[in-house]
Amino acid sequence: MGQSSLLKNYINGQWCLSSAQEQIPVDNPATADVLATVPLSPVAEVDQAAQAAASAYREWRRVPPMERVQYLFKLKGLLEANQEALAQLVTQECGKTLAESRGELQRAIENVEVACGIPILMQGTVSEDIARGIDEFMIRQPLGVAAVIAPFNFPAMIPFWFMPYALACGNTYLVKPSEKVPLTMQKIFELIDQAGFPPGVVNLVNGAKEAVDAILQHPVIRAISFVGSSPVARYIYSQAAAHGKRVQCQGGAKNPIIVLPDADMEMTTRIAADSAFGCAGQRCLAASLAVTVGEAKEPFTDAIANTAASRIVGNGLDTGVQMGPVITAASRERIEALIQQGVEEGATVLVDGRSPTIPGLEKGNFVRPTLLQDVPPEGEIARTEIFGPVLGLMHVETIDDAIALVNRSPWGNMACLFTNSGAAARKFRYEAEAGNIGINIGVAAPMAFFPFSGWKESFFGDLHGQGHHAIEFFTQTKVVVERWPKEWSRQF
Ligand code: NAD
């Protein structure tokens, strides 16, 4: 695709040019090349997609689950056949390394695989003889039209935390990708088209705030899944609720990892660096604070400083590159300003990744791995999500102090412990107030068959994405109490 290529919406099984007044460029964050132009679709186009989905729903909900999943099996094959091309596209528009993009695609496909189990996953329950001759059963029925509003950092994977389950359960769907990375969904919708879903069952609308507000207010949309920053998550949650919709919003994070003195330092450092600097720190499960306990301070600090300073930064498409750019120039400026704020609050810059020169990529949005030492626990920087390759270091004397620090945080997406002690691990997983826990794991990302369990300011709602939560979110329960008169029953 080139600068002139204007991305399209996919509504009712057709590719449509948007009538948007506003169109914005999609830049490659490593090179600043313009990859395409994305329309910021107006309200009327969200309405067209929602109406198409509403009329497709009437027939789609009657398609037996075993038949519905055949489309998903087909889509899985197409995603696998195009995995490499999609990974290249993710890297081009999002900046992460090719290995990271391939991993992201694998996680998307995994969700399709799990949703293919819907014939058994959405089964109901029956109690025979709740009173003499009376039976009661609970069945799960789809809701109608559902939508996802996605962030920039996993352009392929995040819509798949929701979409395959929604479709398999018999709902019809609308995807609003991030306007920063719309190319990947454009390509995935070509595959959705090839998979042959009936027109209107899955729809794509590109856009930004206007499209999001139209989704929030649309009367036929029954359920909304959102992933993005916490201020927007809070807004979506309140607006969706005010319009009577079912809603789940996964928000931002500030994830601590705790290092005990008995941890395997070589392994811990490698895993901590991958967590903090993988995807240039733009993962909601990125480690952003490392808390050393007791004698762990010196060996961990020395090792992580070496690892951070030697990380190979460049274009994610190039072999050997370990970290790509951040998404936009504005993002780079924000990250560098937050590093400076950390210094003003009393932290020391142990490894400084600001304003790097990456030969041949002078226009890219690069920040190299950065370490802030002695981050004050009460400062802003200990609480603000930086969403860049910056790891803050803190130190305490006991595991109880470390857990208290974790639990004082307003966030609750992930907390990890590095140790060789089973007792310490148990105490940590029992007491830490976060929804995803890692023990000697740096990115505790749940597999598709578990819910992605953010807590506190990292999640607004009840049911999370993926796993059984997704089945509950995308269905409504119906309870039937049934009695048949004896005279009629005796005839058979
Ligand atoms: P963002 O909140 O800026 O945007 C997310 C989506 O909301 C986009 O589709 C965007 O078009 C829309 N949007 C943005 N501002 C809006 C507004 N004012 N009104 C209506 N809609 C609006 O997030 P982002 O920068 O794309 O993504 C990064 C954030 O996502 C980070 O905070 C990260 O932690 C979070 N995230 C969380 C998870 C999780 O599972 N908890 C996963 C990935 C990313």
Side-chain angles (χ1 to χ4, degrees), residues 149-154 158 161 176-180 207-210 212-213 216 226-233 235-236 249-253 282-285 327 385 387 413 452 454 458-459:
I149 299 158
F152 80 80
N153 63 331
F154 285 94
I158 285 179
W161 285 351
K176 204 297 282 174
S178 164
E179 66 278 20
K180 292 178 185 142
K209 183 166 172 54
E210 185 177 347
V212 171
D213 285 341
L216 288 169
F226 169 87
V227 181
S229 59
S230 283
V232 183
Y235 169 75
I236 304 277
C249 294
Q250 301 188 192
Q282 298 170 118
R283 271 195 293 230
C284 67
L285 295 180
I327 189 73
E385 180 179 43
F387 221 56
N413 219 30
F452 194 107
S458 300
F459 181 71

Coordinates of all heavy atoms in Angstrom, one line a residue, residues 149-154 158 161 176-180 207-210 212-213 216 226-233 235-236 249-253 282-285 327 385 387 413 452 454 458-459, ligand 1:
I149 N -13.7 -1.8 20.3 CA -12.9 -0.6 20.1 C -11.5 -0.9 20.6 O -11.3 -1.2 21.8 CB -13.5 0.6 20.9 CG1 -15.0 0.9 20.5 CG2 -12.7 1.9 20.8 CD1 -15.8 1.6 21.5
A150 N -10.6 -0.9 19.6 CA -9.2 -1.5 19.9 C -8.1 -0.4 20.1 O -8.2 0.7 19.5 CB -8.9 -2.5 18.8
P151 N -7.0 -0.8 20.8 CA -5.9 0.1 20.9 C -4.9 -0.1 19.8 O -5.0 -1.0 19.0 CB -5.3 -0.3 22.3 CG -5.6 -1.7 22.3 CD -6.8 -2.0 21.5
F152 N -3.8 0.7 19.9 CA -2.8 0.5 18.8 C -1.8 -0.6 19.0 O -1.1 -1.0 18.1 CB -2.0 1.9 18.6 CG -0.9 2.1 19.7 CD1 0.3 1.5 19.5 CD2 -1.1 2.9 20.8 CE1 1.3 1.7 20.4 CE2 -0.1 3.0 21.7 CZ 1.1 2.4 21.6
N153 N -1.6 -1.1 20.3 CA -0.4 -1.8 20.5 C -0.4 -3.3 20.1 O 0.7 -3.9 20.0 CB 0.1 -1.7 22.0 CG -0.9 -2.2 23.0 OD1 -2.1 -2.2 22.7 ND2 -0.5 -2.7 24.1
F154 N -1.6 -3.9 19.9 CA -1.7 -5.2 19.3 C -2.7 -5.2 18.2 O -3.8 -5.6 18.4 CB -2.0 -6.2 20.4 CG -0.9 -6.6 21.3 CD1 -0.7 -5.9 22.5 CD2 0.1 -7.5 20.9 CE1 0.4 -6.2 23.3 CE2 1.2 -7.8 21.8 CZ 1.3 -7.1 23.0
I158 N -5.8 -8.0 19.6 CA -6.8 -7.6 20.6 C -8.2 -7.8 20.1 O -9.0 -8.3 20.8 CB -6.4 -6.2 21.2 CG1 -5.3 -6.4 22.1 CG2 -7.6 -5.6 21.9 CD1 -4.7 -5.2 22.8
W161 N -9.5 -11.1 21.0 CA -9.9 -11.5 22.4 C -11.4 -11.6 22.5 O -11.9 -12.1 23.5 CB -9.4 -10.5 23.4 CG -7.9 -10.5 23.7 CD1 -7.0 -11.4 23.3 CD2 -7.2 -9.5 24.4 NE1 -5.8 -11.1 23.8 CE2 -5.8 -9.9 24.4 CE3 -7.5 -8.3 25.1 CZ2 -4.8 -9.2 25.1 CZ3 -6.5 -7.6 25.7 CH2 -5.2 -8.1 25.7
K176 N -13.9 -1.6 15.4 CA -13.3 -0.3 15.2 C -11.8 -0.3 15.6 O -11.5 -0.3 16.8 CB -14.1 0.7 16.0 CG -14.1 2.2 15.5 CD -12.7 2.8 15.5 CE -12.2 3.3 16.8 NZ -10.8 3.8 16.7
P177 N -10.9 -0.5 14.6 CA -9.5 -0.6 15.0 C -9.0 0.8 15.4 O -9.6 1.8 15.2 CB -8.8 -1.0 13.7 CG -9.8 -0.9 12.6 CD -11.1 -0.5 13.2
S178 N -7.8 0.8 16.0 CA -7.1 2.0 16.3 C -6.8 2.7 15.0 O -6.2 2.1 14.1 CB -5.8 1.8 17.1 OG -5.0 3.0 17.1
E179 N -7.0 4.0 14.9 CA -6.7 4.8 13.7 C -5.2 4.9 13.5 O -4.8 5.3 12.4 CB -7.4 6.2 13.8 CG -6.8 7.1 14.9 CD -7.5 6.9 16.3 OE1 -8.0 5.8 16.5 OE2 -7.4 7.8 17.1
K180 N -4.4 4.5 14.5 CA -3.0 4.6 14.4 C -2.4 3.4 13.6 O -1.4 3.4 13.0 CB -2.3 4.7 15.7 CG -2.5 6.0 16.4 CD -1.9 6.0 17.8 CE -2.2 7.3 18.5 NZ -2.4 7.1 19.9
G207 N -12.0 4.7 12.1 CA -12.3 6.0 12.6 C -11.7 6.2 14.0 O -10.9 5.5 14.5
A208 N -12.2 7.3 14.6 CA -11.6 7.8 15.9 C -12.8 8.1 16.8 O -13.8 7.4 16.8 CB -10.6 8.9 15.7
K209 N -12.7 9.3 17.5 CA -13.7 9.6 18.5 C -15.2 9.6 18.0 O -16.1 9.1 18.6 CB -13.4 10.9 19.2 CG -14.3 11.2 20.3 CD -13.8 12.3 21.2 CE -14.9 12.8 22.2 NZ -15.4 11.7 23.0
E210 N -15.4 10.2 16.8 CA -16.7 10.3 16.3 C -17.3 8.9 16.1 O -18.5 8.7 16.5 CB -16.7 11.1 15.0 CG -18.1 11.4 14.5 CD -18.2 12.2 13.2 OE1 -17.2 12.8 12.8 OE2 -19.3 12.2 12.6
V212 N -16.4 6.2 17.7 CA -16.6 5.6 19.0 C -17.8 6.1 19.6 O -18.7 5.3 20.2 CB -15.3 5.9 19.9 CG1 -15.6 5.4 21.3 CG2 -14.1 5.2 19.3
D213 N -18.1 7.4 19.6 CA -19.3 7.9 20.2 C -20.5 7.4 19.5 O -21.5 7.2 20.2 CB -19.2 9.5 20.2 CG -18.2 10.0 21.3 OD1 -17.9 9.2 22.2 OD2 -17.8 11.2 21.1
L216 N -21.1 4.0 20.9 CA -21.6 4.1 22.3 C -23.1 4.5 22.3 O -23.8 4.0 23.2 CB -20.9 5.2 23.1 CG -19.4 4.9 23.4 CD1 -18.7 6.1 23.9 CD2 -19.4 3.7 24.5
F226 N -13.9 -2.8 25.1 CA -12.9 -1.8 24.8 C -11.6 -2.2 25.4 O -11.5 -2.8 26.5 CB -13.3 -0.5 25.5 CG -12.3 0.6 25.5 CD1 -12.1 1.4 24.4 CD2 -11.4 0.7 26.6 CE1 -11.1 2.4 24.4 CE2 -10.4 1.7 26.6 CZ -10.2 2.5 25.5
V227 N -10.5 -1.9 24.7 CA -9.1 -2.0 25.3 C -8.4 -0.7 24.9 O -8.4 -0.3 23.8 CB -8.4 -3.2 24.7 CG1 -7.0 -3.4 25.4 CG2 -9.2 -4.5 25.0
G228 N -7.8 -0.1 25.9 CA -7.0 1.1 25.7 C -6.6 1.8 27.0 O -6.5 1.1 28.0
S229 N -6.4 3.1 27.0 CA -5.9 3.7 28.2 C -7.0 3.9 29.2 O -8.2 3.9 28.8 CB -5.4 5.1 27.8 OG -6.4 5.9 27.2
S230 N -6.7 4.0 30.5 CA -7.7 4.0 31.5 C -8.6 5.3 31.5 O -9.8 5.1 31.7 CB -7.1 3.9 32.9 OG -6.7 2.6 33.1
P231 N -8.1 6.5 31.1 CA -9.1 7.6 31.1 C -10.2 7.3 30.0 O -11.4 7.6 30.2 CB -8.2 8.8 30.7 CG -6.9 8.4 31.1 CD -6.8 6.9 31.0
V232 N -9.8 6.8 28.9 CA -10.8 6.5 27.8 C -11.7 5.3 28.2 O -12.9 5.3 28.0 CB -10.1 6.3 26.4 CG1 -11.2 6.0 25.4 CG2 -9.2 7.5 26.0
A233 N -11.0 4.3 28.9 CA -11.8 3.2 29.4 C -12.9 3.6 30.3 O -14.1 3.1 30.2 CB -10.9 2.2 30.1
Y235 N -14.4 6.5 30.4 CA -15.4 7.2 29.6 C -16.3 6.2 28.9 O -17.5 6.4 28.9 CB -14.6 8.1 28.6 CG -15.5 8.7 27.5 CD1 -16.4 9.8 27.8 CD2 -15.5 8.2 26.2 CE1 -17.2 10.3 26.8 CE2 -16.3 8.8 25.2 CZ -17.1 9.8 25.5 OH -17.9 10.4 24.6
I236 N -15.7 5.2 28.3 CA -16.5 4.2 27.5 C -17.4 3.5 28.4 O -18.6 3.3 28.1 CB -15.5 3.2 26.8 CG1 -14.5 3.9 25.9 CG2 -16.3 2.1 26.1 CD1 -14.9 4.3 24.5
C249 N -14.2 -3.0 29.8 CA -13.2 -2.1 29.4 C -11.8 -2.4 30.1 O -11.7 -2.3 31.3 CB -13.5 -0.7 29.8 SG -15.0 0.0 28.9
Q250 N -10.9 -2.9 29.3 CA -9.5 -3.2 29.8 C -8.7 -1.9 29.6 O -8.6 -1.4 28.5 CB -9.0 -4.4 29.0 CG -9.9 -5.6 29.2 CD -9.3 -6.9 28.7 OE1 -10.1 -7.8 28.6 NE2 -8.0 -7.0 28.3
G251 N -8.1 -1.4 30.7 CA -7.4 -0.2 30.7 C -5.9 -0.3 30.8 O -5.3 -1.3 30.5
G252 N -5.3 0.8 31.3 CA -3.8 0.9 31.4 C -3.2 0.1 32.6 O -3.9 -0.6 33.3
A253 N -1.9 0.3 32.8 CA -1.2 -0.4 33.8 C 0.0 0.2 34.3 O 0.5 1.1 33.6 CB -0.9 -1.8 33.3
Q282 N 5.6 -1.1 25.2 CA 4.2 -0.7 24.8 C 3.3 -1.9 24.9 O 2.6 -2.3 24.0 CB 4.1 -0.1 23.4 CG 4.9 1.2 23.3 CD 5.0 1.7 21.9 OE1 4.5 2.7 21.6 NE2 5.6 0.9 21.0
R283 N 3.3 -2.6 26.0 CA 2.5 -3.7 26.3 C 1.8 -3.4 27.6 O 2.4 -2.9 28.6 CB 3.3 -5.0 26.5 CG 3.5 -5.8 25.3 CD 4.0 -7.2 25.6 NE 5.3 -7.2 26.2 CZ 6.3 -8.0 25.8 NH1 6.2 -8.8 24.8 NH2 7.5 -8.0 26.4
C284 N 0.5 -3.8 27.7 CA -0.2 -3.5 29.0 C 0.3 -4.4 30.1 O 0.0 -4.3 31.2 CB -1.7 -3.6 28.9 SG -2.2 -5.3 28.5
L285 N 1.1 -5.5 29.7 CA 1.7 -6.4 30.6 C 3.2 -6.1 30.7 O 4.0 -7.0 31.1 CB 1.4 -7.8 30.3 CG -0.1 -8.2 30.4 CD1 -0.3 -9.7 30.1 CD2 -0.6 -8.0 31.8
I327 N 5.3 4.3 19.1 CA 4.3 4.5 18.0 C 4.3 5.8 17.3 O 4.2 5.9 16.1 CB 2.9 4.1 18.5 CG1 1.9 4.1 17.4 CG2 2.4 5.1 19.6 CD1 2.0 2.8 16.5
E385 N 1.4 5.6 34.1 CA 1.8 4.7 33.0 C 2.6 5.4 32.0 O 2.2 6.4 31.4 CB 0.5 4.1 32.4 CG 0.8 3.1 31.2 CD -0.4 2.5 30.6 OE1 -1.3 3.3 30.3 OE2 -0.4 1.3 30.3
F387 N 4.3 3.8 29.3 CA 4.0 3.1 28.0 C 5.2 3.3 27.0 O 5.0 3.7 25.9 CB 2.7 3.5 27.4 CG 1.9 2.3 26.8 CD1 1.7 1.2 27.6 CD2 1.5 2.3 25.5 CE1 1.0 0.1 27.0 CE2 0.9 1.2 24.9 CZ 0.6 0.1 25.7
N413 N -3.1 -4.6 36.9 CA -3.2 -5.5 35.7 C -2.3 -6.7 35.9 O -2.7 -7.9 35.6 CB -2.6 -4.7 34.5 CG -3.4 -5.1 33.2 OD1 -4.6 -5.4 33.3 ND2 -2.8 -5.0 32.1
F452 N -8.6 -12.6 30.7 CA -7.5 -11.6 30.9 C -7.9 -10.7 32.0 O -8.6 -9.7 31.9 CB -7.3 -10.8 29.6 CG -6.1 -10.0 29.5 CD1 -5.0 -10.4 28.7 CD2 -5.9 -8.9 30.3 CE1 -3.9 -9.6 28.7 CE2 -4.7 -8.1 30.3 CZ -3.7 -8.5 29.5
G454 N -7.5 -8.2 34.4 CA -7.1 -6.9 35.1 C -8.0 -6.6 36.3 O -9.2 -7.0 36.3
S458 N -7.1 -0.9 36.2 CA -6.8 -1.5 34.9 C -8.0 -2.2 34.2 O -7.8 -2.7 33.1 CB -5.7 -2.5 35.1 OG -4.5 -1.9 35.6
F459 N -9.1 -2.2 34.9 CA -10.3 -2.8 34.3 C -11.6 -2.2 34.8 O -11.7 -2.0 36.0 CB -10.3 -4.3 34.6 CG -11.4 -5.1 34.0 CD1 -11.5 -5.3 32.7 CD2 -12.5 -5.5 34.8 CE1 -12.6 -5.9 32.1 CE2 -13.5 -6.2 34.3 CZ -13.6 -6.4 32.9
Ligands
NAD1 P1 -6.3 4.9 23.6 O1 -7.2 4.9 24.9 O2 -5.7 6.2 23.2 O3 -7.2 4.4 22.4 C1 -7.9 3.2 22.4 C2 -9.1 3.3 21.4 O4 -10.0 4.4 21.9 C3 -8.8 3.7 20.0 O5 -9.6 2.9 19.1 C4 -9.1 5.2 19.9 O6 -9.6 5.5 18.6 C5 -10.3 5.4 20.9 N1 -10.2 6.7 21.6 C6 -9.1 7.4 22.0 N2 -9.5 8.5 22.6 C7 -10.8 8.5 22.6 C8 -11.8 9.4 23.1 N3 -11.4 10.6 23.8 N4 -13.1 9.1 23.0 C9 -13.5 8.0 22.4 N5 -12.6 7.1 21.9 C10 -11.3 7.4 22.0 O7 -5.2 3.8 23.8 P2 -4.0 3.5 22.9 O8 -3.0 4.5 23.1 O9 -4.4 3.1 21.5 O10 -3.4 2.1 23.6 C11 -2.5 2.1 24.7 C12 -3.3 1.9 26.0 O11 -4.0 0.7 26.0 C13 -2.3 1.8 27.2 O12 -2.9 2.5 28.2 C14 -2.3 0.3 27.5 O13 -2.0 -0.1 28.8 C15 -3.7 -0.1 27.1 N6 -3.9 -1.5 26.9 C16 -4.5 -2.3 27.8 C17 -4.6 -3.6 27.6 C18 -5.3 -4.5 28.7 O14 -5.6 -5.6 28.4 N7 -5.6 -4.0 29.8 C19 -4.1 -4.2 26.5 C20 -3.5 -3.4 25.5 C21 -3.4 -2.0 25.7

